[in-house]
Amino acid sequence: MKLILLGAPGAGKGTQSAKISEKYNIPAIATGDILRGAIKEGTELGLTAKGYMDAGKLVPDEIVVGIIKDYLSTEACKNGFILDGFPRSIPQAEALDAMGVKIDVVLSIEVPDDKIIARMSGRRVCHCGASYHVDYIPPKVEGICDKCGAELYIRADDCAETVANRLKTFHAQTEPLKTYYEAKGILATVEGQEEVADTTALVFAALDRVNA
Ligand code: ADP
Ligand code: ZN
């Protein structure tokens, strides 16, 4: 199964992507994680990306398209994959089409802006990729990752001002992808729920319909 996850920043793409990856045994490719990895390593890519990310803007299409091309050509992606955070603009979607990649389903996780803002202000993340929320998905021990025991931190771009910009960018550049994929007849939507497990149930139900 070749799948794209769409949704506002903080809609829960990363969380659901992990569940799908486990159930269907396909790798998840998260452009945001890849870019943050590059920033941490201090590579040239990371240096370029950081300015855009901290401003809540999209990293230029050529850069992310190049990253995706490399990943999709690997053996691990042969039997399918989940794209989490790509494409994020019409030109990126067109670049994916131009690669000859045939996507089975584009799943949009819908969450209203006011909920997004509440979620991001409580988000805490771990370097291992795990993600928590102080109220909705608290770790067993406050401030500590359940999975690896490391200390949790707030993502640099989760500050209120950057969140507002990321939402603006989402509505202007990413949301039009819904119409783009609807026209291709491969768009499915689910309403993001308060409980992660409830959203996962809706996500699995939507994917089962596609695979039926
Ligand atoms: P979120 O979906 O919560 O905003 P991500 O980790 O997916 O978080 O993305 C964080 C940032 O990384 C984005 O705000 C953007 O600057 C950059 N980014 C991630 N994916 C892309 C992409 N496909 N194109 C351009 N920029 C991207
Ligand atoms: Zn961890």
Side-chain angles (χ1 to χ4, degrees):
M1 182 170 52
K2 296 178 176 165
L3 170 72
I4 291 172
L5 279 183
L6 272 186
K13 299 186 296 291
T15 306
Q16 297 306 326
S17 153
K19 308 276 182 200
I20 301 166
S21 175
E22 199 177 311
K23 178 172 177 187
Y24 291 91
N25 197 23
I26 46 176
I29 304 160
T31 42
D33 288 348
I34 295 167
L35 295 170
R36 277 185 293 277
I39 292 175
K40 212 167 141 197
E41 283 166 27
T43 62
E44 199 177 319
L45 163 66
L47 253 122
T48 310
K50 190 174 175 5
Y52 294 99
M53 291 169 78
D54 287 350
K57 292 183 180 157
L58 293 187
V59 172
D61 292 335
E62 318 81 80
I63 297 180
V64 284
V65 167
I67 293 174
I68 288 296
K69 245 186 202 157
D70 288 348
Y71 270 81
L72 294 188
S73 64
T74 61
E75 198 58 37
C77 291
K78 281 272 150 41
N79 295 323
F81 50 78
I82 305 159
L83 291 177
D84 165 8
F86 182 95
R88 243 177 160 98
S89 66
I90 298 282
Q92 290 181 15
E94 288 169 348
L96 189 62
D97 289 342
M99 287 176 218
V101 175
K102 180 110 179 36
I103 298 295
D104 299 302
V105 58
V106 178
L107 192 64
S108 172
I109 305 177
E110 312 268 329
V111 178
D113 284 10
D114 54 339
K115 288 219 174 101
I116 291 288
I117 291 164
R119 282 185 186 190
M120 307 250 261
S121 63
R123 175 150 74 177
R124 299 292 181 273
V125 297
C126 178
H127 68 84
C128 78
S131 178
Y132 303 87
H133 187 284
V134 288
D135 302 319
Y136 312 135
I137 326 167
K140 292 194 186 84
V141 179
E142 195 187 316
I144 300 295
C145 180
D146 291 349
K147 293 193 179 125
C148 74
E151 202 170 316
L152 301 178
Y153 60 93
I154 299 174
R155 245 171 64 175
D157 59 352
D158 276 351
C159 71
E161 197 193 339
T162 305
V163 166
N165 285 333
R166 285 159 68 197
L167 271 174
K168 247 188 245 164
T169 303
F170 168 74
H171 290 303
Q173 291 178 264
T174 310
E175 215 167 20
L177 289 175
K178 288 202 285 186
T179 314
Y180 183 89
Y181 287 118
E182 194 168 32
K184 291 181 187 284
I186 55 172
L187 182 75
T189 53
V190 298
E191 301 282 334
Q193 306 293 307
E194 296 289 337
E195 295 289 334
V196 170
D198 294 341
T199 307
T200 304
L202 294 177
V203 165
F204 286 170
L207 296 182
D208 285 346
R209 277 196 293 277
V210 172
N211 287 322

Coordinates of all heavy atoms in Angstrom, one line a residue, residues 10 111-120 136 192-194:
G10 N 0.3 19.1 13.5 CA -0.3 18.7 14.8 C -1.6 18.0 14.7 O -2.2 17.7 15.7
V111 N -8.7 18.3 11.5 CA -8.8 18.8 12.9 C -8.9 20.4 12.8 O -8.1 21.0 12.1 CB -7.5 18.5 13.7 CG1 -7.6 19.1 15.1 CG2 -7.3 17.0 13.8
P112 N -9.9 21.0 13.4 CA -10.1 22.4 13.3 C -8.9 23.2 14.0 O -8.3 22.7 14.9 CB -11.4 22.7 14.1 CG -11.8 21.4 14.7 CD -11.0 20.3 14.2
D113 N -8.7 24.4 13.5 CA -7.6 25.2 13.9 C -7.5 25.4 15.4 O -6.4 25.4 16.0 CB -7.6 26.6 13.2 CG -7.2 26.5 11.8 OD1 -7.0 25.4 11.2 OD2 -7.0 27.6 11.2
D114 N -8.6 25.7 16.1 CA -8.6 26.0 17.5 C -8.0 24.7 18.3 O -7.3 24.9 19.2 CB -9.9 26.4 18.1 CG -11.1 25.5 17.7 OD1 -10.9 24.7 16.8 OD2 -12.1 25.6 18.4
K115 N -8.4 23.6 17.8 CA -7.9 22.3 18.5 C -6.4 22.1 18.2 O -5.7 21.7 19.1 CB -8.7 21.1 18.0 CG -10.1 21.0 18.5 CD -10.5 19.6 18.8 CE -11.9 19.5 19.4 NZ -12.9 19.1 18.5
I116 N -6.0 22.5 17.0 CA -4.6 22.3 16.6 C -3.7 23.2 17.6 O -2.7 22.7 18.1 CB -4.4 22.9 15.2 CG1 -5.0 21.9 14.2 CG2 -2.9 23.1 14.9 CD1 -4.4 20.6 14.0
I117 N -4.2 24.4 17.8 CA -3.4 25.3 18.6 C -3.3 24.8 20.1 O -2.2 24.8 20.7 CB -4.1 26.8 18.6 CG1 -3.8 27.3 17.2 CG2 -3.5 27.7 19.6 CD1 -4.7 28.5 16.8
A118 N -4.4 24.3 20.6 CA -4.4 23.7 21.9 C -3.5 22.5 22.0 O -2.7 22.3 23.0 CB -5.8 23.3 22.3
R119 N -3.5 21.7 21.0 CA -2.6 20.5 21.0 C -1.2 20.8 20.9 O -0.4 20.2 21.7 CB -2.9 19.6 19.7 CG -4.2 18.8 19.8 CD -4.2 18.0 18.6 NE -5.4 17.3 18.4 CZ -5.6 16.3 17.5 NH1 -4.7 16.0 16.7 NH2 -6.8 15.7 17.5
M120 N -0.8 21.8 20.1 CA 0.6 22.0 19.9 C 1.2 22.7 21.1 O 2.4 22.5 21.4 CB 0.8 22.9 18.7 CG 0.2 22.3 17.5 SD 1.3 21.7 16.3 CE 1.3 23.1 15.3
Y136 N -3.3 15.2 26.9 CA -4.0 14.1 26.1 C -3.2 12.8 26.0 O -3.8 11.7 26.0 CB -4.3 14.6 24.7 CG -5.0 15.9 24.6 CD1 -4.6 16.9 23.7 CD2 -6.0 16.3 25.5 CE1 -5.2 18.2 23.7 CE2 -6.6 17.5 25.5 CZ -6.2 18.5 24.5 OH -6.8 19.7 24.5
G192 N -10.2 13.8 13.1 CA -9.3 13.6 14.2 C -10.1 13.6 15.5 O -10.9 14.5 15.7
Q193 N -10.0 12.6 16.3 CA -10.7 12.5 17.6 C -9.9 13.0 18.8 O -8.7 13.1 18.7 CB -11.2 11.1 17.8 CG -12.0 10.5 16.6 CD -13.3 11.1 16.4 OE1 -14.1 11.2 17.4 NE2 -13.6 11.6 15.2
E194 N -10.5 13.1 19.9 CA -9.8 13.5 21.1 C -8.8 12.4 21.5 O -7.7 12.7 21.9 CB -10.8 13.7 22.3 CG -11.7 14.9 22.1 CD -11.1 16.2 22.2 OE1 -10.0 16.3 22.8 OE2 -11.6 17.2 21.7

